[in-house]
Amino acid sequence: MEMDFQKALLEVGKSLSTDEVEALSFLCTDILSRKPVSLDGASNLFSLLMKEDHLSAGNPQLLVELLLTIQRPVILQNIKLSLPSPSTLISPYRKLLYRLSEQITEEELGEMKFLLKDIPRRRLEQKTTLGVFLEMEHMDLINESSLEYLETIFKSVCPVLNEEIRLFRKEIWHPESSPLTVKPSQTPKPSSRTDFQGDETPQLLSQPSMNPSNSTNGEMASLDTVNTEKKNPESQENDEVLCDYPMTGKRGICLIVDNFDFSESYKNLTNTLRNREGTKIDRDSLKEVFGWLGYEVDIHVDYNADQIKSLFTRIGQQDHSQYDSLVCCILSHGMEGRVYGVDGKLVEIKLLIECIDGEKCPSLIEKPKMLFIQACQGCKEQYPVQPDGIEDETTRIFADAKIADLRSPVIADLLVGMSTVPDHASFRDKFCGTWYIQSLCKNLIKCVPRRVDLVSILTKVNFDVSGMTDFSRRRKQMPQPAFSLRKRVVFPVPEKRPPEIGALTKDNS
């Protein structure tokens, strides 16, 4: 039996990359009394573990935990190792550092090394992220009870990772919370934000509690109506059981309505709405990103008001039973509470939402319905801007005229991402696309692989767009999501490489 186990360990070692062997050695740092001499292969590590009685044919629990932690359960299946009950031999602190290392890009690692003034530069030159963490431990800059130094570094390099540390501290301070167990038949999700039960909500900035039961008169919670400073005991209890919407079937349809040519709007308006230069860049970016996320992208260009209403009616009448969710994107001009068709007629946003609510579309009940709208919410200006129809020909930055106050529709499991706050304009660069849609797409590409939930991603979009301006430094914009979600929207990490977006083009046909 012992010989068979050693053969199995040999097969495991052959299946592991150099980085994975380093990860196993790092995870065993607190277990081994001395460190492996070499990381060229896994044999040296396994020999030390067996010599110190941490691993044997009769006690394979550590091997199971190590391979599950680095997300290689297929190796356990290949060696036909019967899986015992999940163990907790590896310290939560060591697992925390490993999870953090998996979410740090090469660029961010370089920035970390630059900021680590307390460690000689030559000792960091060839180090991986795990190697940098070990150097920080050797210099007594971090340990299980002191992670403030690392948080300071992350604040400059990748603030979202500090949420992982917050969750770790919460687990340490609440030992009655049991560790999350992984069933043998389950494959852990890559780059999961936490291994613990409890409050798993990652936050990029200050994120309010958005449980719809906390909103007034059943209205959807909105960022401007929720007190982010105080949480009552009931809301804290709700946070403890917050979970994710299931994303196990087909992802769903991504509907894109892109209105560019408004030459026919003169029939219904005193002033013809101008063509939306640059919108094709947004359309292509949305197509690439949501296609990457697994959605079936359905694009409709230059729809009039009746066609938009008919399109949403048809989507609501479809059977979405096999789908996990629905995404709808509208790129157009608008007035508060409405969007323009290319014929200059207006469509009420709430009527479009009603087409996909639980009453009209039962197959979408308890599934997230996400609506992203690029248009203005009013004529007020955050510093001088030109509303649609009176655009300044000397600039490449245009406004997209008004759109809806979406706090009134009472509908569960809905998220509406607005490109700007009520009564204000939203901007479009005719060569680069809109500030909002481009930021949304780029943050989805960056944050989805890190298992960041959609509300947190939109908070990051708020942060990014609020810092943008044009060449005159006079135009500003503030997006605003509103939602009645009851769970977190966490997109599965795609196997394909993320798309490259934002290519400059003047072709908007």
Side-chain angles (χ1 to χ4, degrees):
M1 181 176 178
E2 191 70 30
M3 179 63 69
D4 290 340
F5 183 65
Q6 292 200 1
K7 288 181 179 179
L9 290 179
L10 184 62
E11 289 300 315
V12 172
K14 291 179 180 179
S15 302
L16 296 172
S17 67
T18 301
D19 288 343
E20 288 172 330
V21 173
E22 181 188 14
L24 295 188
S25 179
F26 179 85
L27 291 168
C28 292
T29 299
D30 305 320
I31 297 174
L32 289 169
S33 59
R34 65 189 182 92
K35 305 299 178 287
V37 176
S38 171
L39 287 178
D40 293 337
S43 299
N44 181 249
L45 173 63
F46 293 151
S47 296
L48 280 176
L49 290 172
M50 295 180 72
K51 185 176 182 179
E52 296 186 9
D53 294 328
H54 298 299
L55 187 63
S56 66
N59 181 29
Q61 284 87 348
L62 179 59
L63 178 64
V64 173
E65 188 175 0
L66 285 169
L67 293 177
L68 289 179
T69 300
I70 67 169
Q71 300 155 17
R72 293 299 305 274
V74 67
I75 296 179
L76 296 174
Q77 298 170 12
N78 292 341
I79 63 176
K80 297 180 173 56
L81 179 64
S82 58
L83 303 181
S85 300
S87 57
T88 54
L89 301 173
I90 306 170
S91 74
Y93 165 70
R94 198 59 53 186
K95 287 183 177 180
L96 166 71
L97 293 182
Y98 170 74
R99 289 196 306 273
L100 292 172
S101 74
E102 286 292 281
Q103 300 174 73
I104 294 173
T105 65
E106 287 295 325
E107 180 181 356
E108 290 165 345
L109 176 59
E111 293 173 357
M112 283 182 62
K113 292 178 179 179
F114 178 77
L115 293 173
L116 283 168
K117 303 297 185 182
D118 295 304
I119 302 177
R121 188 67 55 87
R122 61 180 177 79
R123 288 167 58 178
L124 298 175
E125 286 181 355
Q126 304 299 321
K127 297 292 186 182
T128 63
T129 306
L130 292 177
V132 170
F133 287 160
L134 286 174
E135 289 293 339
M136 294 175 73
E137 288 182 310
H138 294 160
M139 297 290 292
D140 200 25
L141 298 176
I142 60 171
N143 56 55
E144 184 171 359
S145 60
S146 178
L147 291 165
E148 290 80 9
Y149 191 96
L150 188 58
E151 288 177 294
T152 301
I153 297 292
F154 284 164
K155 187 176 181 180
S156 299
V157 174
C158 188
V160 66
L161 295 182
N162 279 332
E163 177 63 17
E164 192 91 21
I165 296 176
R166 187 191 71 82
L167 293 173
F168 167 75
R169 283 204 183 97
K170 181 174 182 179
E171 179 65 18
I172 297 301
W173 293 341
H174 296 82
E176 70 277 4
S177 176
S178 58
L180 176 65
T181 59
V182 181
K183 295 180 181 179
S185 61
Q186 290 180 327
T187 300
K189 296 179 180 179
S191 302
S192 176
R193 303 301 300 179
T194 179
D195 279 347
F196 306 114
Q197 292 178 342
D199 184 359
E200 298 181 332
T201 308
Q203 298 173 341
L204 294 172
L205 299 172
S206 57
Q207 176 187 330
S209 172
M210 289 299 185
N211 190 317
S213 63
N214 293 338
S215 60
T216 306
N217 299 325
E219 296 180 348
M220 290 197 304
S222 180
L223 290 184
D224 63 347
T225 61
V226 179
N227 187 337
T228 63
E229 299 298 326
K230 297 180 180 180
K231 280 190 175 182
N232 58 40
E234 181 180 356
S235 67
Q236 289 180 333
E237 181 178 349
N238 289 338
D239 285 347
E240 294 294 328
V241 296
L242 191 64
C243 54
D244 300 345
Y245 285 102
M247 291 280 184
T248 55
K250 294 183 178 180
R251 203 66 59 241
I253 295 171
C254 173
L255 179 69
I256 300 175
V257 178
D258 179 22
N259 284 346
F260 163 70
D261 185 358
F262 283 83
S263 58
E264 295 296 313
S265 63
Y266 72 91
K267 296 178 181 179
N268 298 294
L269 294 172
T270 304
N271 295 319
T272 303
L273 293 168
R274 291 188 179 274
N275 292 347
R276 300 184 60 255
E277 301 287 347
T279 189
K280 184 178 184 296
I281 300 168
D282 285 347
R283 181 209 315 167
D284 291 345
S285 295
L286 290 168
K287 175 184 176 182
E288 290 295 321
V289 171
F290 281 101
W292 171 65
L293 291 175
Y295 284 87
E296 300 173 14
V297 180
D298 184 17
I299 297 176
H300 301 268
V301 179
D302 293 340
Y303 266 36
N304 63 38
D306 288 339
Q307 288 174 318
I308 293 174
K309 288 185 281 189
S310 297
L311 179 61
F312 272 76
T313 299
R314 176 172 63 81
I315 287 293
Q317 292 172 347
Q318 287 184 223
D319 183 6
H320 297 263
S321 300
Q322 61 181 326
Y323 296 132
D324 295 327
S325 58
L326 172 69
V327 174
C328 300
C329 306
I330 301 178
L331 315 175
S332 189
H333 294 306
M335 296 288 286
E336 189 166 358
R338 296 162 289 176
V339 291
Y340 277 112
V342 293
D343 56 355
K345 292 184 179 180
L346 288 160
V347 182
E348 290 195 32
I349 297 297
K350 69 176 183 178
L351 295 181
L352 300 181
I353 291 174
E354 289 174 1
C355 292
I356 57 174
D357 66 14
E359 181 180 356
K360 299 286 180 60
C361 189
S363 59
L364 281 174
I365 291 176
E366 296 186 353
K367 297 179 180 180
K369 296 161 280 287
M370 295 156 276
L371 181 61
F372 300 99
I373 298 177
Q374 167 55 46
C376 300
Q377 289 201 50
C379 290
K380 290 184 180 179
E381 303 163 350
Q382 297 184 55
Y383 298 104
V385 296
Q386 294 289 346
D388 270 325
I390 325 174
E391 291 178 347
D392 181 358
E393 297 289 353
T394 64
T395 181
R396 56 187 257 185
I397 305 297
F398 299 126
D400 263 336
K402 314 179 217 174
I403 203 78
D405 178 357
L406 290 164
R407 287 169 288 173
S408 55
V410 180
I411 179 174
D413 309 305
L414 174 73
L415 180 145
V416 182
M418 307 301 300
S419 62
T420 190
V421 294
D423 299 326
H424 287 82
S426 166
F427 298 109
R428 172 175 29 88
D429 186 312
K430 64 182 180 181
F431 297 138
C432 300
T434 60
W435 297 353
Y436 175 69
I437 294 297
Q438 290 302 306
S439 177
L440 171 66
C441 291
K442 290 172 183 176
N443 277 290
L444 284 170
I445 289 172
K446 182 175 182 179
C447 296
V448 166
R450 292 172 171 166
R451 303 285 301 161
V452 181
D453 70 284
L454 182 57
V455 171
S456 294
I457 293 174
L458 291 177
T459 306
K460 182 64 164 59
V461 171
N462 283 359
F463 178 79
D464 289 350
V465 175
S466 67
M468 295 178 182
T469 187
D470 67 338
F471 291 122
S472 71
R473 299 187 179 278
R474 297 165 61 200
R475 293 178 169 91
K476 301 293 290 184
Q477 181 178 329
M478 184 69 238
Q480 182 186 51
F483 52 92
S484 60
L485 299 175
R486 295 178 292 177
K487 301 177 183 179
R488 299 191 314 158
V489 178
V490 180
F491 297 110
V493 180
E495 295 181 0
K496 297 184 297 183
R497 291 178 61 87
E500 295 182 4
I501 63 169
L504 301 184
T505 176
K506 296 183 181 180
D507 178 14
N508 289 286
S509 58

